[in-house]
């Protein structure tokens, strides 16, 4: 692929560093680079991989330039992807080099995959025939090349039989291309018969894909309404047009079940992409995406930075999910960036959710997005009956956290041989440990956070920095033995309570810190789906997407958790999470029940969930956002200043505030000490910038940073455009 001007004597190269612009390198005579070429260049004492960028080069004395060392034998990064990198850098105020770095995460993949040695039948005949040799020759009939072990395996003989035949010239060595990581998906493999509203939605998506132009569709359907089934039709349409497809999923624990489902529909799995993939596999996927061999990728947010060359559709499943926000180095929301990518690439984007974000709902109602609605569950499946349990009227027994009402329903569910799910979004045993004698509380030495007790591991753990220590017998403050108490519940503690009540029930605890990692988690999820557990106790990990056929009761242990944490999205988040959790029940037609333990049964969020009137909730929430000029009606950005000392952090933050430019449509709040005022030994202050929708937020912050105090000592500044977290 040749684009733009092919020959230059010097070329701009974007290197994976906090570089504000590409660096200029000499192109040695005879070397051919184009914008997008992946090259190896010297950088200080090191060699790094970079991308040849667009734009002219500065006028410099060519003799002073260091040369590009090597052009990798790799398809160039295409123009759309390069524009995408520039766009994200501009929008998030990150150095373009740091965005490019996300694209260059599979260094071994820049060289072609090696071809494999294979064997192919010649016209020669073996000196004598044996049964084993006969089987080999029959298997290898048809002239295809085989690997030595593959042929031995398929013919059911030992490899020495093959070696013998090769020695006689019956087989010759040929080189065969690397195997694809996944087979090609077949859009016509198993077409579903869709229900009327499903086929209406599918038609809409198919039309958009066929138009081959940018457009966003919000696929809004209750849990179990067949959203996946429907967006698969958009995937099929894109494949029919010869385009690649990216499906973003918020949680890698979900991927396995998804891959199987995809295979049932398309006859082959999509390639997966997430941090848990073995490095070798990552590189093969990266390479085959770049070469176009992989047609569909299902992956985490970082899959947005794979080097697609014919991308024609992105689906963002569970588009409201906070896991799409990356808050590390480059702060970006993969849902929003998927829309940008579609805009740059000129192709459609589908956002799917049972509980869309307020942002997407507003975009749909203002006509920027199309909206396709699925209002009923598929077939006989009915949504669960939802009720609150007023914890003031039906309190748990002393020392417990489960109301007798919930326990009663759990008993009935057990008697029917159906499953219950208890949801609590708190890992570990207890969020706080204190000494009953002196009142000492166990806090993290380097964070402003309490240590969470993990009783299975016998540890106290900081959930912010990972610091952990053994839970002592005696209080470190007053020395008293055996007087430490656990305050509040985590999932482990709820499990203890459940076992005390239902000692014969098969109980499983699921949370992201499960020993054995993702593999173990997947096995546990499969076991639950097969009915091998009676009671499941889990964090938000169990809330998403899973299909548990026998689950008919969902109990939310603390529905109020997360409602009052100063986050402007607290109500929305709680509504989404609780709808998602209770949506796990009754997916196969059995009568089901969702119970919310709450001290505020009259809170609008509780009322909206129980009444099933999601529309009323969105209307109210949208009106409130509009009144307060909060996103999507206004803009927000966070600036987090951290330093080794409190004084440094505060001083720098105040300096930034003083440097803020005059603007009529933007104003600065703070600096204030962050709610998490200390993380990993660094003191933190926050500035919040709020303003009108059309205001130039990036220009404002850029000027503030430029005019403000210079970065000195241990001070670090992070900009978070469209923040999701205010901690
Ligand atoms: P959602 O993604 O909206 O939660 P799913 O796509 O997972 O819903 O569908 C819920 C269940 O109903 C799945 O088991 C799915 O296979 C099934 N289903 C939905 N629509 C159909 C259909 N038209 N034909 C067959 N099965 C369907
Ligand atoms: Zn800590």
């Amino acid at each position: 692929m040749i684009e733009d001007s092919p020959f230059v004597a010097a070329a701009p190269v974007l290197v994976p560093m906090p570089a504000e612009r590409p660096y200029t390198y000499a192109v040695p005579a005879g070397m051919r680079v184009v914008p997008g070429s992946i090259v190896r260049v010297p950088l200080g004492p090191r060699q790094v991989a970079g991308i040849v960028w667009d734009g002219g080069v500065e006028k410099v004395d060519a003799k002073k330039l260091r040369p590009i060392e090597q052009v990798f034998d790799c398809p160039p990064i295409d123009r759309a992807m390069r524009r995408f990198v520039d766009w994200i850098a501009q929008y998030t105020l990150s150095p373009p080099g740091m965005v490019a770095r996300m694209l260059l995460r599979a260094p071994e993949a820049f060289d072609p995959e090696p071809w494999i040695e294979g064997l192919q039948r010649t016209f020669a005949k073996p000196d004598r025939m044996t049964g084993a040799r006969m089987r080999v020759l029959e298997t290898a009939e048809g002239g295809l090349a085989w690997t030595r072990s593959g042929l031995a395996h398929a013919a059911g003989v030992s490899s020495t039989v093959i070696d013998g035949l090769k020695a006689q010239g019956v087989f010759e060595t040929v080189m065969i291309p690397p195997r694809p990581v996944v087979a090609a998906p077949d859009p016509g493999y198993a077409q579903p018969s869709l229900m009327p509203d499903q086929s209406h939605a599918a038609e809409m998506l198919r039309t958009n894909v066929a138009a081959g132009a940018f457009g966003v569709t919000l696929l809004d359907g209750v849990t179990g309404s067949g959203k996946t089934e429907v967006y698969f039709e958009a995937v099929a349409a894109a494949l029919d047009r010869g385009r690649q497809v990216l499906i973003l999923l918020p949680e890698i624990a979900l991927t396995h079940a998804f891959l199987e489902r995809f295979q049932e529909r398309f006859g082959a799995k999509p390639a997966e992409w997430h941090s848990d993939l073995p490095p070798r596999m990552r590189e093969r996927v990266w390479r085959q995406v770049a070469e176009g061999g992989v047609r569909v990728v299902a992956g985490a947010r970082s899959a947005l930075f794979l080097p697609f060359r014919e991308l024609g559709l992105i689906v963002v499943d569970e588009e409201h999910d906070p896991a799409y926000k990356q808050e590390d180095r480059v702060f970006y929301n993969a849902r929003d960036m998927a829309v940008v990518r579609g805009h740059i690439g000129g192709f459609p984007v589908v956002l799917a959710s049972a509980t869309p974000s307020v942002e997407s709902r507003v975009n749909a109602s203002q006509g920027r997005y199309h909206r396709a609605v699925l209002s009923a569950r598929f077939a006989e499946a009915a949504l669960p009956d939802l009720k609150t349990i007023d914890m003031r009227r039906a309190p748990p027994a002393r020392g417990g956290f489960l109301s007798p009402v919930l326990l009663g329903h759990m008993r009935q569910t057990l008697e029917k041989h159906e499953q219950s799910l208890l949801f609590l979004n708190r890992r570990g045993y207890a969020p706080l440990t204190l000494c009953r004698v002196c009142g000492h509380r166990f806090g993290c030495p380097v964070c402003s956070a309490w240590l969470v007790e993990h009783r299975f591991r016998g540890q106290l753990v900081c959930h912010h920095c990972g610091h952990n220590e053994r839970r002592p017998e005696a209080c470190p403050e007053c020395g008293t033995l055996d007087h430490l108490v656990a305050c509040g519940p985590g999932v482990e503690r709820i499990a203890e309570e459940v076992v005390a009540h239902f000692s014969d029930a098969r109980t499983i605890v699921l949370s992201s810190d499960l020993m054995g990692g993702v593999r173990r988690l997947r096995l546990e999820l499969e076991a639950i789906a097969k009915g091998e557990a009676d009671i499941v106790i889990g964090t938000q990990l169990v809330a998403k997407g899973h299909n548990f056929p026998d689950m008919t009761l969902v109990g939310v242990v603390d529905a109020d958790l997360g409602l009052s944490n100063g986050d402007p999205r607290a109500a929305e988040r709680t509504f989404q999470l609780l709808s998602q959790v209770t949506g796990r029940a009754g997916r196969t037609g059995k009568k089901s029940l969702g119970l919310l333990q709450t001290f505020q049964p009259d809170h609008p969020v509780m009322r909206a969930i129980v009444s099933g009137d999601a529309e009323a909730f969105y209307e109210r929430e949208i009106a409130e956002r509009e009144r307060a000029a909060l996103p999507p009606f206004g803009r927000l950005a966070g600036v987090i200043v951290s330093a080794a000392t409190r004084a440094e952090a505060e001083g720098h933050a105040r300096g930034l505030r003083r440097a803020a430019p005059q603007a009529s449509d933007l104003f600065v709040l703070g600096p204030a000490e962050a709610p998490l005022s200390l993380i990993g030994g660094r003191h933190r202050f926050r500035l919040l910038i709020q303003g009108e929708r059309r205001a130039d937020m990036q220009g404002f912050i850029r000027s503030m940073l430029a005019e403000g105090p210079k970065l000195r000592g241990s001070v670090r500044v992070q900009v978070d455009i469209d923040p999701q977290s205010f901690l």
Side-chain angles (χ1 to χ4, degrees), residues 217-398:
T217 307
L218 177 61
L219 179 58
D220 182 351
V222 295
T223 51
S225 58
K227 290 184 294 295
T228 317
E229 227 61 57
V230 168
Y231 74 61
F232 276 174
E233 294 317 292
V235 173
L239 291 174
D240 276 332
R241 298 190 73 235
R243 308 297 291 268
Q244 290 173 301
V245 177
L246 170 61
I247 303 170
L248 293 178
L249 303 170
E251 180 72 64
I252 55 173
L254 279 176
T255 323
H256 186 70
F258 180 85
L259 300 180
E260 309 248 292
R261 219 169 137 188
F262 187 93
Q263 183 167 27
E264 283 165 27
R265 170 64 183 81
F266 293 100
K269 289 190 169 130
E272 20 173 350
W273 181 265
H274 50 70
S275 55
D276 207 49
L277 221 54
R280 183 79 193 95
M281 192 60 179
R282 276 173 79 85
E283 320 220 290
R284 297 186 64 205
V285 171
W286 195 97
R287 181 79 196 186
Q288 295 185 19
V289 167
E291 288 176 346
V294 164
R295 306 312 295 170
V296 182
V297 175
R301 59 184 183 223
S302 59
L304 270 178
F305 298 96
L306 282 170
F308 291 99
R309 53 192 291 175
E310 296 158 326
L311 193 56
L313 173 70
I314 303 179
V315 178
V316 185
D317 204 350
E318 313 283 6
E319 66 91 27
H320 64 278
D321 201 298
Y324 283 123
K325 182 70 190 277
Q326 166 157 310
E327 288 169 348
D328 175 33
R329 293 171 201 267
V330 180
F331 286 51
Y332 70 93
N333 185 322
R335 187 255 333 268
D336 299 339
M337 294 310 119
V339 171
V340 170
R341 182 73 179 81
H343 189 248
I344 292 172
F347 58 77
V349 176
V350 177
L351 308 179
S353 175
T355 50
S357 61
V358 164
E359 280 85 350
S360 295
R361 281 291 305 257
V362 170
N363 279 326
S365 68
Q366 296 184 347
R368 277 189 294 275
Y369 295 176
H370 309 282
R371 182 170 176 223
V373 180
L374 302 175
S375 49
R377 276 195 163 178
F378 175 68
E380 75 275 36
L383 284 165
D385 225 354
L386 297 173
K387 294 201 172 79
T388 50
I389 297 175
D390 187 339
M391 295 300 272
R392 297 164 304 188
R393 295 220 214 126
R398 223 182 123 71

Side-chain angles (χ1 to χ4, degrees), residues 561-584:
L561 191 69
L563 259 188
S564 52
N565 59 4
D567 177 343
R569 292 190 183 84
E572 178 190 346
R573 288 258 189 277
T574 304
F575 174 77
Q576 286 160 340
L577 191 54
L578 298 187
S579 307
Q580 211 81 45
V581 179
T582 51
R584 290 310 109 216

Side-chain angles (χ1 to χ4, degrees), residues 631-689:
F633 299 98
R635 300 202 60 193
L636 284 181
V639 176
I640 305 132
V641 180
S642 67
T645 66
R646 194 178 180 282
E648 267 184 295
E650 184 170 18
H652 194 92
R654 289 196 185 288
L656 284 179
R657 159 101 211 210
R658 280 192 298 273
Q662 286 300 321
S664 57
D665 51 2
L666 284 165
F667 58 93
V668 184
L669 296 162
E673 190 158 50
L676 264 170
S677 56
L678 187 67
I679 297 183
R682 296 184 64 82
H683 296 260
R684 305 167 77 239
F685 276 78
R686 295 191 70 110
L687 296 152
L688 188 68
I689 300 146

Side-chain angles (χ1 to χ4, degrees), residues 34 36-38 71-77 109-112 286-287 290-291 307:
V34 294
S37 294
I38 300 183
V71 186
F72 287 99
D73 181 3
C74 181
I77 300 300
F110 306 151
D111 290 314
W286 195 97
R287 181 79 196 186
E291 288 176 346

Side-chain angles (χ1 to χ4, degrees), residues 444 446-447 462 464-465 467:
C444 176
V446 290
C447 301
C462 172
H464 297 285
C465 73
H467 165 88

